[in-house]
Amino acid sequence: MDAPVIRFAGVSRTYPMEGELVEALRGIDLEIEQGELMAIMGPSGSGKSTMMHIAGLLDTLSRGRYELEGEDVSSLSKNQRADIRNRRIGFIFQSFNLLARCSALENVELPMLYHRPGVAERRERAMAALEAVGMADRAQHLPRQLSGGQQQRVAVARALVNRPALILADEPTGNLDTRTGREIIRLLSSLHQQGITVVLVTHDPEVGRAMRRRIFLRDGLLERDEAA
Amino acid sequence: MDILGTVIRLALRGLMAYKARSLLTMLGIIIGIGAVIVMISVGRGANASIQKQISDLGANMLMVYSGSTKKGGVKGGHGSKPTLRVADAQAIARECPAVAEVTHITLRSSQVVAGEKNWNTTVYGTTASYPVVRDWRMEQGEFLTNQHMRSAANVAVLGATVVKNLFSPGEPALGGKIRINNVPFTVIGVLASKGSDPHGRDQDDTLFVPYTTFSRKLHGRRLPGVVNVIALSARSKRLVPEAKREVEELLRQKHRIAPGAEDDFSVRALDEYAQMADKTMDIMTILLTSVAAISLVVGGIGIMNIMLVSVTERTREIGIRMAVGARERDVLVQFLTEAMTMSVLGGVLGTLLGVGAAKAVGWATGWMSPIDVDAILLATLFSAGVGVFFGYYPARQASRMDLIEALRYE
């Protein structure tokens, strides 16, 4: 049995805000197994974004222990965290976060700039990823020439391109209409079927219902854990 | 390496997206580097031209002028007092070991006639060693010989300007008959053209006759044995000061000048002119270098300013790059490369501008303005250095940005 992709043990996060310490997460225990398709849900300020940032090594935790694929990543340096994000985690954001001056293809190549395969391999893998999300014919388009759904597909390709173990999506449908949102969720589900662990943050119950497992946060605590 | 290629390509795309802003930012560098290129090339051209004029006067040459007259407090200037004699020149040749060759000159402006043409020029009475001291080649025929001196022969050697004014094109000057103050002379040689001296006087507008002939048959009856100038060459460039000292000592002794009394002659080395020219050049160089340095600093600050704006504008982009795995160093290198791309591009444009300006100056003044590779290399290196120096602070700001904040930035 492989180690869980994510294991949180008593993970807490406090921020100083206007002279006071705000507790965004207050001791979360959680395991996410390989190949899960899971939603983190909860009202605004419940700590779901913070949890996602910590899981994605974008942010550090204040107390507790975080193991990624069995490896303790609680107290890595900035550069070590950058390397892990680069090779093992793919990100999808609510506002797509594509570089405006770069073509779709260049945006997908971006993570590989810091992973350093050769130019030819980079191009080939980026094209394959665009193919996988159905955007190969838009490779040379700039983000502003693409619709929101198309931009999010490019972002999914970017998240895929380094073949990560884990894809984290922060409100991936938040800026999309319902129909396009469903398409993106279908895309993420198909990735899950290929064996990639997908965790997304959402407050949309419909999106939540499409997931195999849902956890609910409230005031920085794990309130409920539902498996479908 | 191909990462750098991508970064440079993106940097150029960014510059092209804001053409006016980029150009204005680069202007300081363009002007600074342009000034450096013009300074180096025009400075070298001007200096080379001056040095060539000076060395054309004669290698390692020294001139001895007679002293100044003094009538009622009014000094007549160099050469106005007839204190130098042929015997002085002969004594220098005999007794000064640092001196290679000695000649002396007596000169007077005279009207010269050849057939139906006539021309007013300076007639020099001199010795056979004159062309050796002056380092002056013959174009045709030969110069005056010691035999001509002894016999006070009526022979003359002409400068190029005199030939041009006395003889029609195609007419042979050599063997031609001319008259100076109605005394007939035969032309036995023509000197190669030497151009202007550092004062702008045409050195080719001269005519040479044996000094013996000059004093017996032309002008010298009033003051026999007196010469205007003694010219001599030191054995080497290094020996010029030594030769000067020896000549001064000998002449003071021969002229019986008491210790502490003022000399009735003066010795001037030509390398003093050269040093003077160098000093002028040095001042010009310092001035232009400061202009260039100030311009580069101002240009660098401009780049720093724009880079700081750019880092703020692109906070989100920095966040995205970091999220997908850019390390601090990757972000630092990216922004440093952008700053350098801007400054090096400015440097290249400045170099083109400078080369153009230097060519224009060279064309206008007739100086050769050599554009050398080391000046261009220096300029490029300098502009890259400016980019690194002034780009580092903004780039470090970018690389130290807080990731979560950057991703939230609108």
Side-chain angles (χ1 to χ4, degrees):
Chain A
M1 175 81 195
D2 286 339
V5 175
I6 290 176
R7 174 184 279 149
F8 275 13
V11 168
S12 297
R13 180 64 165 116
T14 48
Y15 297 105
M17 194 180 272
E18 288 162 12
E20 280 179 57
L21 281 183
V22 176
E23 277 197 282
L25 292 179
R26 303 195 277 181
I28 303 278
D29 296 309
L30 180 69
E31 286 190 7
I32 301 174
E33 299 296 336
Q34 209 157 38
E36 281 203 66
L37 177 60
M38 195 190 94
I40 302 171
M41 305 189 69
S44 291
S46 60
K48 49 187 196 311
S49 282
T50 304
M51 185 163 170
M52 164 135 295
H53 290 155
I54 287 176
L57 291 171
L58 296 170
D59 202 356
T60 51
L61 39 102
S62 306
R63 279 190 313 280
R65 183 181 168 92
Y66 171 21
E67 287 174 17
L68 180 70
E69 295 182 295
E71 182 191 340
D72 182 10
V73 294
S74 313
S75 50
L76 295 178
S77 73
K78 218 174 157 184
N79 284 340
Q80 286 171 319
R81 281 188 281 127
D83 279 341
I84 291 183
R85 282 199 301 272
N86 183 248
R87 284 183 284 109
R88 287 154 67 176
I89 303 173
F91 290 97
I92 298 161
F93 301 92
Q94 178 173 1
S95 50
F96 324 132
N97 276 349
L98 300 177
L99 299 186
R101 286 204 303 265
C102 297
S103 69
L105 184 65
E106 285 169 330
N107 267 292
V108 177
E109 285 181 345
L110 188 64
M112 290 186 284
L113 277 188
Y114 307 111
H115 191 54
R116 348 224 127 173
V119 184
E121 192 194 340
R122 213 159 73 201
R123 188 118 308 184
E124 194 181 310
R125 277 170 59 180
M127 274 316 287
L130 282 172
E131 193 84 56
V133 299
M135 289 292 294
D137 55 335
R138 300 279 198 280
Q140 301 306 329
H141 287 51
L142 291 175
R144 65 178 142 80
Q145 297 167 317
L146 300 173
S147 71
Q150 288 172 326
Q151 289 189 50
Q152 196 62 303
R153 283 172 182 275
V154 174
V156 172
R158 182 179 66 189
L160 276 177
V161 78
N162 270 349
R163 300 179 189 123
L166 173 66
I167 287 187
L168 295 173
D170 190 356
E171 301 276 11
T173 59
N175 281 7
L176 301 174
D177 61 65
T178 317
R179 199 173 59 81
T180 319
R182 281 187 197 136
E183 282 171 22
I184 294 295
I185 294 303
R186 268 202 294 281
L187 181 59
L188 290 176
S189 304
S190 76
L191 296 180
H192 157 253
Q193 274 152 23
Q194 292 160 33
I196 299 173
T197 312
V198 178
V199 177
L200 58 81
V201 165
T202 184
H203 57 250
D204 180 347
E206 190 196 325
V207 172
R209 275 196 296 280
M211 302 292 113
R212 294 287 184 83
R213 179 184 174 193
R214 291 166 292 279
I215 61 167
F216 293 86
L217 295 185
R218 183 175 290 275
D219 299 330
L221 288 170
L222 189 61
E223 190 187 44
R224 208 161 76 235
D225 189 344
E226 294 178 354
Chain B
M1 224 39 229
D2 77 290
I3 308 283
L4 202 64
T6 310
V7 170
I8 289 175
R9 205 155 42 83
L10 281 180
L12 284 173
R13 207 185 291 172
L15 293 184
M16 291 305 284
Y18 301 96
K19 284 194 194 68
R21 176 165 117 175
S22 306
L23 197 68
L24 288 173
T25 304
M26 290 187 297
L27 206 55
I29 304 287
I30 293 175
I31 292 170
I33 294 295
V36 171
I37 298 283
V38 173
M39 171 199 90
I40 292 176
S41 99
V42 172
R44 281 190 190 169
N47 204 17
S49 139
I50 291 169
Q51 298 298 348
K52 183 178 180 306
Q53 282 180 352
I54 290 167
S55 77
D56 276 355
L57 285 174
N60 313 322
M61 194 165 90
L62 294 110
M63 306 276 257
V64 186
Y65 299 93
S66 56
S68 169
T69 51
K70 199 164 152 189
K71 277 180 191 153
V74 179
K75 288 195 173 183
H78 285 310
S80 55
K81 195 174 175 186
T83 53
L84 291 178
R85 312 183 73 84
V86 173
D88 289 332
Q90 286 161 349
I92 289 168
R94 266 197 321 271
E95 293 176 33
C96 297
V99 173
E101 294 284 344
V102 185
T103 187
H104 52 79
I105 305 153
T106 318
L107 50 91
R108 186 132 188 185
S109 173
S110 311
Q111 203 69 22
V112 186
V113 181
E116 290 174 354
K117 294 185 171 186
N118 72 94
W119 180 249
N120 190 289
T121 187
T122 311
V123 175
Y124 284 62
T126 190
T127 68
S129 52
Y130 184 85
V132 184
V133 174
R134 289 292 316 272
D135 198 10
W136 203 337
R137 277 186 319 103
M138 297 300 296
E139 183 72 44
Q140 291 169 27
E142 54 174 5
F143 200 74
L144 311 166
T145 64
N146 286 329
Q147 177 59 41
H148 295 137
M149 303 296 148
R150 277 194 293 277
S151 61
N154 288 11
V155 290
V157 174
L158 274 49
T161 304
V162 176
V163 172
K164 205 167 69 200
N165 284 289
L166 288 185
F167 296 92
S168 311
E171 189 185 350
L174 212 59
K177 303 287 179 203
I178 59 170
R179 301 172 78 83
I180 308 169
N181 290 357
N182 254 337
V183 182
F185 283 82
T186 306
V187 178
I188 59 161
V190 174
L191 286 158
S193 176
K194 219 168 165 56
S196 305
D197 70 6
H199 304 290
R201 272 195 302 257
D202 180 5
Q203 300 181 80
D204 299 324
D205 192 4
T206 45
L207 188 158
F208 298 89
V209 299
Y211 75 95
T212 45
T213 316
F214 187 93
S215 65
R216 283 180 217 163
K217 299 178 180 171
L218 289 176
H219 299 295
R221 294 214 178 88
R222 291 172 302 138
L223 293 163
V226 169
V227 298
N228 294 106
V229 178
I230 296 174
L232 52 101
S233 58
R235 285 193 187 280
S236 72
K237 198 170 167 62
R238 211 166 42 79
L239 282 175
V240 167
E242 173 68 11
K244 184 177 175 179
R245 200 186 52 74
E246 285 174 3
V247 168
E248 280 172 345
E249 200 170 292
L250 178 72
L251 289 184
R252 281 179 74 87
Q253 194 186 325
K254 273 188 72 77
H255 293 186
R256 296 173 207 286
I257 295 162
E262 204 180 329
D263 290 348
D264 61 357
F265 62 91
S266 65
V267 184
R268 206 89 66 70
L270 278 180
D271 67 345
E272 288 169 16
Y273 287 107
Q275 283 165 11
M276 220 151 67
D278 275 347
K279 211 169 274 173
T280 318
M281 262 336 284
D282 285 349
I283 292 171
M284 205 163 112
T285 304
I286 290 170
L287 269 171
L288 277 164
T289 309
S290 359
V291 169
I294 290 169
S295 180
L296 283 179
V297 168
V298 171
I301 291 171
I303 286 182
M304 178 145 91
N305 185 32
I306 282 301
M307 287 310 293
L308 282 171
V309 170
S310 168
V311 166
T312 309
E313 279 179 350
R314 289 156 65 191
T315 298
R316 187 65 167 262
E317 174 193 328
I318 295 164
I320 296 168
R321 286 177 181 275
M322 284 178 162
V324 301
R327 283 163 297 192
E328 269 190 32
R329 214 194 49 200
D330 297 319
V331 176
L332 187 86
V333 166
Q334 183 194 339
F335 280 87
L336 218 48
T337 308
E338 288 187 17
M340 270 177 68
T341 302
M342 200 147 39
S343 68
V344 170
L345 203 62
V348 168
L349 291 178
T351 302
L352 292 178
L353 192 78
V355 168
K359 287 257 179 269
V361 170
W363 179 78
T365 58
W367 296 335
M368 284 192 308
S369 306
I371 308 291
D372 21 49
V373 179
D374 50 327
I376 290 173
L377 218 66
L378 189 81
T380 312
L381 226 66
F382 237 82
S383 52
V386 167
V388 170
F389 186 82
F390 290 96
Y392 184 76
Y393 176 71
R396 209 192 52 165
Q397 297 283 93
S399 72
R400 300 250 170 116
M401 205 167 266
D402 183 85
L403 176 46
I404 301 289
E405 298 273 307
L407 278 175
R408 283 202 190 116
Y409 188 86
E410 289 303 324

